[in-house]
Amino acid sequence: MSDIKKVVLAYSGGLDTSVIVRWLQETYQCEVVTFTADIGQGEEVEPARAKAAGLGVKEIYVDDLREEFVRDFVFPMFRANTVYEGEYLLGTSIARPLIAKRLIEIANETGADAISHGATGKGNDQVRFELGAYALKPGIKVIAPWREWDLNSREKLMAYCEEHNIPVDFSNKKKKSPYSMDANLLHISYEGGNLEDPWWEAEEDMWRWSVSPEAAPDQPTYIELTYEKGDIVAIDGQAMSPATVLAHLNKVGGENGIGRLDLVENRYVGMKSRGCYETPGGTIMLKAHRAIESLTLDREVAHLKDSLMPKYAEMVYNGYWWSPERKMMQTMIDESQEVVNGKVRVKLYKGNVIVAGRQSDDSLFDEKIATFEDDAGAYDQKDAEGFIKLNALRLRIAANKNRKLG
Amino acid sequence: MSDIKKVVLAYSGGLDTSVIVRWLQETYQCEVVTFTADIGQGEEVEPARAKAAGLGVKEIYVDDLREEFVRDFVFPMFRANTVYEGEYLLGTSIARPLIAKRLIEIANETGADAISHGATGKGNDQVRFELGAYALKPGIKVIAPWREWDLNSREKLMAYCEEHNIPVDFSNKKKKSPYSMDANLLHISYEGGNLEDPWWEAEEDMWRWSVSPEAAPDQPTYIELTYEKGDIVAIDGQAMSPATVLAHLNKVGGENGIGRLDLVENRYVGMKSRGCYETPGGTIMLKAHRAIESLTLDREVAHLKDSLMPKYAEMVYNGYWWSPERKMMQTMIDESQEVVNGKVRVKLYKGNVIVAGRQSDDSLFDEKIATFEDDAGAYDQKDAEGFIKLNALRLRIAANKNRKLG
Amino acid sequence: MSDIKKVVLAYSGGLDTSVIVRWLQETYQCEVVTFTADIGQGEEVEPARAKAAGLGVKEIYVDDLREEFVRDFVFPMFRANTVYEGEYLLGTSIARPLIAKRLIEIANETGADAISHGATGKGNDQVRFELGAYALKPGIKVIAPWREWDLNSREKLMAYCEEHNIPVDFSNKKKKSPYSMDANLLHISYEGGNLEDPWWEAEEDMWRWSVSPEAAPDQPTYIELTYEKGDIVAIDGQAMSPATVLAHLNKVGGENGIGRLDLVENRYVGMKSRGCYETPGGTIMLKAHRAIESLTLDREVAHLKDSLMPKYAEMVYNGYWWSPERKMMQTMIDESQEVVNGKVRVKLYKGNVIVAGRQSDDSLFDEKIATFEDDAGAYDQKDAEGFIKLNALRLRIAANKNRKLG
Amino acid sequence: MSDIKKVVLAYSGGLDTSVIVRWLQETYQCEVVTFTADIGQGEEVEPARAKAAGLGVKEIYVDDLREEFVRDFVFPMFRANTVYEGEYLLGTSIARPLIAKRLIEIANETGADAISHGATGKGNDQVRFELGAYALKPGIKVIAPWREWDLNSREKLMAYCEEHNIPVDFSNKKKKSPYSMDANLLHISYEGGNLEDPWWEAEEDMWRWSVSPEAAPDQPTYIELTYEKGDIVAIDGQAMSPATVLAHLNKVGGENGIGRLDLVENRYVGMKSRGCYETPGGTIMLKAHRAIESLTLDREVAHLKDSLMPKYAEMVYNGYWWSPERKMMQTMIDESQEVVNGKVRVKLYKGNVIVAGRQSDDSLFDEKIATFEDDAGAYDQKDAEGFIKLNALRLRIAANKNRKLG
C-alpha cells in the first residue's frame, strides 16, 4: 500500500467522505487532494473547502461544473431520448463520467497517482467512476474505501470520527433522511430504508424536489421550448445557457408535480434495486424532444434511433460513457440532430406533461399530402395498391405453400 | 371487373360503407356479404343488420369479437411493452388483423372471391387489412373503393346516396364530429380537421372517452392488478376475462383523466400525420406490466425485449401481424412471460398512473443482497474490483495507445 | 404522356436500351439524352456515342466513373464489412446509386424533366434507380419502359427494331449468353436461364471473370495490402488509387479462382431469385478488412458494427443509399475507421483467401497481456474471480428461485 | 479453505489436471471426484480412469458425451448460423456449457460442494465453466487453481510433480506441441507460441485435423446433406446420428483442406488474442445451412435471424449458454427452423465449400414468379411503380425541404 503518494478524492464535504480523507491519510500514508463539484445538487460547495483544510488537505479543488454537466453530458444524452428499462432517465448515471473526468484532470495537474471515491461496492457508481478513470488514464490507481475497510455501519464510522478527531457537525439536514440520496441538476434519487420493500409505497415527505400532483396548482402552466440541433436554447423566447434551461425546467416542473418515478431496476453488478427519482426538467425534456423530432426527423432515422436507444442507455447506465462505442454512437445521434430545430409548446399540469403544439422550419409534416381534404394530386392513392401487393408478395407465396401463421 | 362474384365487406353501418355496398353491387355486379364486428367501439352493431338488409344484402354477419380481440391481439402485444415511436400504443393497428382474419374466414364460409373495406388510400389501415388478407388467403381479391372511385368528397357521396336511394339517416352523432375517428376496446382516435396543424392544440370537447385531468376527481383511485404469464387476470382480487379487464381499466382510467395522447407519427405509406388518441386502459396496462416485469424478468431478458420492441411495434403498425416474423418474435416474447406473475398496485390520479407497489412469488428482487444494511455475506463487495478491472481492460489498453475519447 | 419534354436515359449501347431510345422518342415525343458510364464493366463505352448519335440523340454523355465508384461507393460499403444475407457482396446494388446520381446531375444540366432506365419491373434495380432519383430530385419523372410497353420477348424487340430501323448489330458476344448479366468494377452477375432451377449447378463456361479453383495456379500468390482509415491505399507497397486497387485485386483474385458465389437471395420486391456472382477483388477486401479491424478496433465497436451490418446491407440492397438513415449510419461507420490503419498479408490459392499476417501501429493486440508466458504482472488473474462472480450474480439469484434453464 | 469437503474436477488425464488433483487434495484437504468426457477430442478417455485411480481418486466418471454434445449444443447453435466476429465458429465455446452441466450433475450425485477446472485466469473458458456452474447450482463453490496457485510455469509444475510423486509420463505427443491446444468434435484450436505475433504465418505442421488446400485431392468431392428442422439428418441419403454426421463431415472436410481459420479475436475478459482453428465439418455445415435456409425461410425471418445472430454469438462466446436470454433467443430460432427441410448438394475442393444445388418441398422459391420468361401474369410489373413511389415518398418530401444527402 505504500507506493501511493497522492490521491485525488471526490469529496462532498459530508461525513463519509471526510472519514475517507482521514482514512486515506492514515492507511496509505499519502497526501490527499480533495475535489468538490457543484453539479447542481442544491447544496453549497464552498464549505467543503474549510472542512478539507481542517482535515489537513493542502490541495483543494472546488469547481462549478453545472454548465459543462448539462452541455456536454445531459444534453447529448437527451438527444437520444435515452431511457433505461423503459422509465429511468439516468440522472445519477450521467453525472459520474464528468466527475471521473475531473478527477483525472486534477490527478494530472497535481501529479497524483491515485483517485478515490465514496461509492459502495454494491452499486453502479463505483463502476462508472472507475471505468471512466481507467479509460482516461490507464495507469491510474483506484482506492474504493467501502470495498476495503470495515467501517460498514454508522456506528463504526462515528467511532472512527471520535478516534480521529473528525468534527461530526458534518451531519446536515439531508443526512437525517432515512434514505440514501444523490442529487445533481438532472435529478435527486432515493434508495434504501423502507424502499427495500417493493410493495411499500413511498411516503409523501420523502420527496424533496417536487410537490405532489395533488398539491400542484389547479391551473396549468404553458411553456414554449426552442430547439436548435436537438438542444433547448430558449424558454418562452428567452435564450438561456444549458444549465439555466435545466434549472428553469426543474423549477416549473417541480412546482407542477412533474417527474416522480418509483422503479425497480437492474444494476450492472447483477442485482435488482428499488429507487425513487425526481427528474422534473428531464421529464419535460424527454417529452418535448420527442415532439420536435416527430416533426423533423425522417421516419427511418427516428426508428433507427429508437432501436439503438436501449443499447445507448445501457452504455450510460453501466458506466461506459468514456468508451469508443459510446463515442461512435454519439457521432451518429448528433448527426441526426442537425435538423431538429423548432418550437414545442408544452402544458404542465399536476404531474402531466402534455404537448400542446410543435412547429419547425425543418418540418417534414406536409399538410398538403396528409390532408383528408382534396390534396390536388400531391399523392396518388392508386400507388398504394402496388405498394401493398409487392409487400404482400412474400406472404402470398408462403401462404400458397400452406405455411401456417396461426 | 366482371370476374368477381361475391365480396365480403367490412361494414360499419355508417354512411361511407353503406355507399360502398351499393357501389360494389353496381360496379362489380357482384353479391355483397357484410361483416360488422363489435370490437368495443362503443356503438351498437345490431342496427347494421337491418341497414345491410335494406341495401339488399343477403348474407349478413354481425359478430361480437371483443374477447378474441383482447385475448389474442391486445394482450399478446402488451406482453412486449409495445410502443410505436416512443408514445403510440397502437390502438388502431392492433384491431386490423382481427378484422382481416374474420373477413377471410367469412370469405371461405360464403365462397366469396374478394374482400373490401372502407379505408382510404392514404392511410395505414388499407395496408393492414390487405396484408392480412393476402397472408391468410393468397388468392383473394381486394377491392378498395376509396382508391378506385371518384366520390372523394362529402358532396359527391351525398349525391351518390340520393341517386341510388341510400337512406341518409345513416348519419349519426359521431359523424358530426369534424374529425375522422376510429374506436375499439383499446382506444379511440381522432385525425383531420384542425388537427392537421400540428401547432394547434386539440380542444377539450374533441375528447370522448376520458375526462380531462383538470376535471378528474380530486381523490386518487387505487387498483390492484393480478398478472399471470404477463396478462392481467384479475382486478382488485376479482377474476375477469380479458375484455372485461380492458373495459374496466378504460372506465377507471377515463374517469381519472388517463390516456390522452397528441402525436405526430410516421405512416407506413410515407407521410407524417397528426393524431390524437385516448387509451385509458392501455396506458395503465403498459405502466403496470413494466412494473411486474421489473420484479420478475431477468435483466438481459428485459433488455433483449426492450431492444426488439421497436421492431415488433413496427411490425404491428405496418400491418405485419399475420407474418412469420411477427409469429417468430411472439414466440420469444411469450416464452419470456412464463414468470411474469404477481400483483401490481397502481394509483390513478388526474392523468397520472403511478406504481404504488409490486410483489411476486417469482420476484428476482433479493432484499438480502440489495440492502444498504449488513447483508450477512450475501454479496462480497471485493468482487466488484475484479469485475471493474476486467471490464476496464480493453479501455486501458486503448488508452495506452493514446486513443482519444473526447 | 405529352408533358415530358426531355428524358435522360441510362444507355448501355446494347440492343435493349437502343430500343428504349427509339420507344421514348416515339411514345413520349420527347428528346432523349443518353448517358453511358464506364464503371468497370469491362466493355468499351465510347462506341455508345456513335450508336446514340445514329438514333438521333443530340446530347450524349459518356463518362468514366470508375474512380468515383470505388472511392465513394465501394470503399465506404466495405468499411462496414457489408454482406447481404450472409454471402452476397452487393456488387450490383452498390453501382445503382451512382448511376442515379449521375442521371439526376445530367437532368439538371440539360433541363430534362424525366429519367429512364432499362431495368425490368421484377427486379431490385428499378427500385434502386428510382429511389435514388426521387431522393435527389423529388419532382423528377421516371419512365420505366419495361413496366409500360408490351415488348416483353426477344421476338417482339427484334420486330420493333426492324420496324423502326434500329441496327441489330448491337448484339455482341456478351448478349449471346443464355444468362442475364451485369458487370461493374466490383462484380459480374448471372441470372436466368438454367439458373432458375436452384438444384442445377452452374456450368463452368458461364463464369467470365475468374478461372475455376481447379484451373488456378498450383502455387499460391501472396499480396500485402496497406490500409488507411479502413481503405486500401497500397498493394505490395505501391500506392494506388481506389479503382486501381480494385482492378488489381480483381486480376490476382480472378487468376486464383477467387470470388465465385452461387446464391438464392430475397429480392426487395418480394420474391426469391437465384444468382451467381464473381467478385474476386471484393472477396479479398472483405477478408482483409476484417483482419485489419481485428487488430485495431475495440471489441464493443466491432460488435456494434457487426450488429448493425445486416441493417446497413439491407439499405444498400433495397436501394436506400441516398437516404438519411444510410447517411447517419455511414457517419458512425466512418468514425470507427479512423484507427483502421496497417497492413494485411494475404495468401491467395485456388479459391481460398487466407490471412497470413496483420500488423498495425494502431494495434490493440497487446502481447504482454495476452501471452501464455509470464506477463510480469500486466494482468492480475485474480480479477477474473470477481468478474465472473458479479456476472453470475443474476443467474444465481434466478437459480435460487428455481428458474429452469433446460 | 477447510470448508470444502468434495470437489468435482474436469479431468483430462493430462499433466496439468493431474497436478490439480493432487494440489486440491493437499490444499483443501478434500476428496476429489474426477470427470473425464469424450466430446470427440480424438484421444482415448479410458486411460484417465487409471490415472485418476493412481492419484487416489475414488469416484471416477468417464463419459461419452459426443451425441449429446452435437445434438443439444452444436446443432442448436448452427441453426442460428452463428459466427463470432465474422469468422469464428465457436468450437471451444460451445463445448464448455456441456462440461459445466455434467460437473454439476456429478456434484449433485456425489454430494460434492465444489467444482474445479484447469482453465487459466486469462481466458474465456474459466468464465464459461463458472457461469454455467453458478447458473445451474447457485450455491456451488468454484476452485480455479490457475488463479490461486503459483505454479505458473512448466518448471514449477514439473517440480511439483516430482515433489508429489505424480508420474510425468502423463505427457503425450500432443503436449510436445509449442501451442496450447483444445479439441472436440467441432474443432481443434491452437494458441500461444509463435502465434502471439499476429504478423507471423502459422506453419504447416501446426495443423492436425486437415490437410492443406495444396495437399488436398485434385478431384472434388460432392456430398448431399439432408435437413430436417434445420439439422442434418442424413449424408448422401444415409441417415446418421448427430455425432456421426459431424464426424463424417470432419473427415471429408479435413481431407479436402477445409475449415482452417487464423484469427485475432476479442476475449470477454478484455484482451485480444490470436487463435488458429480447424473446423472442417462446421465450415461445411454453416455454408450448407445457409443454402437450405435460402430456399425455405421467409425474407424477414431470415433478416431478423441475421440481425440477432451477433448477439447470440456473443452469448455463446461469453459463456451465457445457461442463461434465460439464450434460452429465450433459442426458442425463437428453433421456431424458425420448422420449415428448414430439404437437401443441399455441396462440392468440396481444396479448401472450398461450394453450394452445387439445393431443393426443398418447403421451398419458397417460385420459378413462375422469378422467371425472366413470360410468367403468365403471376406478377404484375406495374405494381412496382406504386411500391417505389410510396417507398420514395418520405425521401421526396425531405428533398423538397432541401435536406442534403451528400
Side-chain angles (χ1 to χ4, degrees), chain D residues 43-190:
Chain D
E43 282 172 17
E44 288 298 312
V45 289
E46 269 306 319
R49 193 181 300 273
K51 290 179 183 174
L55 289 159
V57 175
K58 284 172 202 148
E59 292 174 289
I60 299 171
Y61 285 77
V62 179
D63 297 339
D64 182 350
L65 302 179
R66 288 175 296 175
E67 288 296 344
E68 184 179 1
F69 175 49
V70 182
R71 184 188 66 230
D72 294 347
F73 297 82
V74 174
F75 274 13
M77 181 174 78
F78 273 81
R79 286 175 211 145
N81 302 317
T82 318
V83 183
Y84 181 69
E85 299 190 338
E87 310 208 73
Y88 175 37
L89 295 178
L90 294 165
T92 299
S93 324
I94 192 60
R96 302 318 189 190
L98 170 56
I99 303 298
K101 168 175 172 274
R102 197 71 194 106
L103 284 171
I104 293 303
E105 286 170 351
I106 295 171
N108 287 337
E109 287 172 28
T110 60
D113 48 0
I115 62 153
S116 183
H117 61 76
T120 80
K122 283 189 174 179
N124 295 304
D125 287 333
Q126 57 175 343
V127 189
R128 296 165 186 153
F129 284 134
E130 299 177 27
L131 288 180
Y134 287 133
L136 295 170
K137 192 177 172 73
I140 197 73
K141 285 173 193 128
V142 175
I143 305 172
W146 286 97
R147 298 201 303 253
E148 291 191 22
W149 70 24
D150 57 355
L151 305 178
N152 43 17
S153 70
R154 187 128 298 257
E155 292 67 36
K156 287 185 186 170
L157 275 177
M158 299 304 276
Y160 188 93
C161 287
E162 201 158 341
E163 201 178 328
H164 294 80
N165 280 325
I166 303 171
V168 190
D169 63 328
F170 280 114
S171 68
N172 56 27
K173 198 184 67 180
K174 177 176 160 191
K175 286 299 170 197
K176 283 176 199 145
S177 164
Y179 304 106
S180 171
M181 297 191 296
D182 179 70
N184 60 52
L185 205 41
L186 183 54
H187 91 346
I188 180 168
S189 68
Y190 311 87

Side-chain angles (χ1 to χ4, degrees), chain C residues 80-98:
Chain C
N81 303 316
T82 317
V83 184
Y84 181 70
E85 298 190 340
E87 311 208 74
Y88 175 36
L89 296 179
L90 294 166
T92 300
S93 324
I94 193 61
R96 301 319 188 190
L98 170 55

